[in-house]
Amino acid sequence: MALLPPDPVYCLKSSDLGAFHSLCFHTSERLYAGNVRGTVQLWDLQTNRSTYQLSVGKSPIIGLAHTEDALITQEKEGTVKLWELTNSAYVLRHESATDHVGFCRFEYHNDAVIMPRGEANIAVLCGRTFTERQLLNPTKADPKLPPLGTVMCILPVEIKDKAYLLAAYEAGMLVLWDLTSSKPISHLQVCQDECLMAMDYDPFTNRGVCGGTSDKIFVFSVDRPTMELRKKSEIAIKNAGISRVKIRKDLKVFVSAGRDGRIRIFSWKSLRPLAVLTEHRGELLDVIYSDEKVSMWKAVIMAAAGSDGQISLWDLYN
């Protein structure tokens, strides 16, 4: 382990808004944060001040994404909304009920909104009109699948230039869906009696990580000839409970965000632990990276947020 973990370059705090449940960057200078009271707050990273607030609903904002001209929000009670960016504000244009009250966040990918649709089902919507394109129903698609429970997290991936969807379920199961046929083509029992909550996958190295309510991070891969999911190894952590895992785009590190308030940094090549960041004093709920360098610090920034009402900003290169 590193003897001297880095300090955050800055911490954004808003005492009146409570816990932050979700984050997203829109350009490297604008950071959006969804809070427990149903509000999205925009932070200007050139001044480190909040410059705009959008009242979305009354339940926590657990999912955020920003397209070129719209903000997409997801409330814990189940509604996904598309807000069009006008000259002066965001205007609500579309909304869709997910029929899912829980923690599974939607994903925006290739002009599609992929979101939970109640129990184990997953819907694929047009990202502009919110028209449903596909419904992935495990029971109808493959009656031989074992009981999955509720879908807990989803991740669109491209393997060999073809679109797939990884989905993790309450029963500790990973399922790989073929988005062309709407069929599950592989499933893997990652853990027993544990719920998977977070997942990421890198097609370049053909390796993924996932975690949840246990005190382990599970490493998996996809056997390219057969497209079968394979479990590779496990990484033990000190305290149980992982809300997010994220691989950085340069494939140097990945991080896990824990219920114990710890951000754990690992080498992506060796999977060895590098540092534990202890800035937060409550459960961590989201962690993301900027796509480009943030001008204030001339670096790609990692942002983390949670129940303590602060957003920590980190330059992990230094």
Side-chain angles (χ1 to χ4, degrees):
M1 300 295 289
L3 294 178
L4 294 173
D7 292 324
V9 295
Y10 202 85
C11 286
L12 308 172
K13 298 180 181 180
S14 184
S15 59
D16 60 330
L17 292 176
F20 288 109
H21 282 249
S22 55
L23 299 168
C24 82
F25 280 99
H26 175 47
T27 77
S28 59
E29 311 300 331
R30 296 158 66 91
L31 178 65
Y32 290 77
N35 67 45
V36 68
R37 299 181 185 178
T39 300
V40 175
Q41 193 170 18
L42 168 60
W43 294 86
D44 183 339
L45 296 186
Q46 292 182 330
T47 63
N48 293 325
R49 296 185 179 221
S50 176
T51 58
Y52 181 80
Q53 291 187 27
L54 174 66
S55 180
V56 173
K58 294 184 179 180
S59 76
I61 308 299
I62 65 167
L64 287 173
H66 209 297
T67 70
E68 183 177 346
D69 55 5
L71 176 68
I72 305 173
T73 62
Q74 179 185 6
E75 298 163 63
K76 187 178 179 182
E77 54 81 17
T79 304
V80 177
K81 298 177 180 177
L82 184 141
W83 305 81
E84 184 181 1
L85 177 59
T86 65
N87 291 332
S88 58
Y90 287 93
V91 178
L92 180 62
R93 295 301 188 201
H94 302 288
E95 64 179 282
S96 177
T98 64
D99 300 320
H100 171 91
V101 179
F103 300 98
C104 182
R105 306 171 194 240
F106 79 93
E107 291 286 336
Y108 179 80
H109 181 70
N110 288 346
D111 199 32
V113 174
I114 307 171
M115 65 185 197
R117 186 64 98 184
E119 297 300 328
N121 300 331
I122 302 166
V124 182
L125 311 184
C126 171
R128 295 187 177 274
T129 65
F130 270 34
T131 304
E132 188 171 300
R133 294 174 176 173
Q134 291 174 268
L135 181 65
L136 308 181
N137 183 320
T139 304
K140 291 183 178 179
D142 186 356
K144 296 181 181 179
L145 274 175
L148 300 174
T150 303
V151 60
M152 301 304 294
C153 60
I154 52 181
L155 181 70
V157 298
E158 291 187 9
I159 303 175
K160 297 188 293 188
D161 298 321
K162 190 173 180 181
Y164 296 91
L165 182 75
L166 279 165
Y169 292 87
E170 185 180 12
M173 188 87 66
L174 275 182
V175 176
L176 181 64
W177 290 86
D178 182 341
L179 289 179
T180 303
S181 64
S182 301
K183 299 288 186 181
I185 58 174
S186 176
H187 64 274
L188 173 67
Q189 186 72 55
V190 175
C191 51
Q192 298 286 345
D193 302 320
E194 300 286 352
C195 178
L196 293 176
M197 302 286 292
M199 166 178 53
D200 205 357
Y201 171 79
D202 164 40
F204 182 78
T205 58
N206 186 28
R207 192 168 61 180
V209 283
C210 59
T213 55
S214 77
D215 59 355
K216 295 181 178 65
I217 297 172
F218 304 97
V219 183
F220 66 93
S221 66
V222 180
D223 182 69
R224 295 296 175 87
T226 64
M227 297 305 293
E228 289 290 320
L229 292 165
R230 305 290 187 197
K231 186 175 176 180
K232 304 291 287 185
S233 60
E234 299 177 359
I235 305 170
I237 59 174
K238 185 175 182 180
N239 299 316
I242 294 172
S243 57
R244 296 288 264 175
V245 288
K246 284 287 185 178
I247 306 164
R248 201 167 65 187
K249 287 187 177 181
D250 65 358
L251 306 183
K252 299 293 186 183
V253 300
F254 82 93
V255 301
S256 70
R259 292 182 181 176
D260 60 359
R262 303 296 192 259
I263 305 169
R264 293 176 170 84
I265 307 171
F266 300 85
S267 163
W268 182 234
K269 182 178 180 180
S270 67
L271 302 179
R272 292 180 178 178
L274 301 177
V276 178
L277 310 180
T278 59
E279 181 67 25
H280 289 267
R281 294 294 179 267
E283 179 182 4
L284 284 165
L285 299 169
D286 205 1
V287 59
I288 60 169
Y289 309 103
S290 64
D291 288 331
E292 306 292 338
K293 291 182 178 181
V294 178
S295 59
M296 173 71 75
W297 299 285
K298 298 180 176 61
V300 171
I301 292 297
M302 181 185 77
S307 62
D308 61 357
Q310 73 168 335
I311 303 167
S312 58
L313 306 177
W314 305 83
D315 174 9
L316 297 185
Y317 288 95
N318 294 320

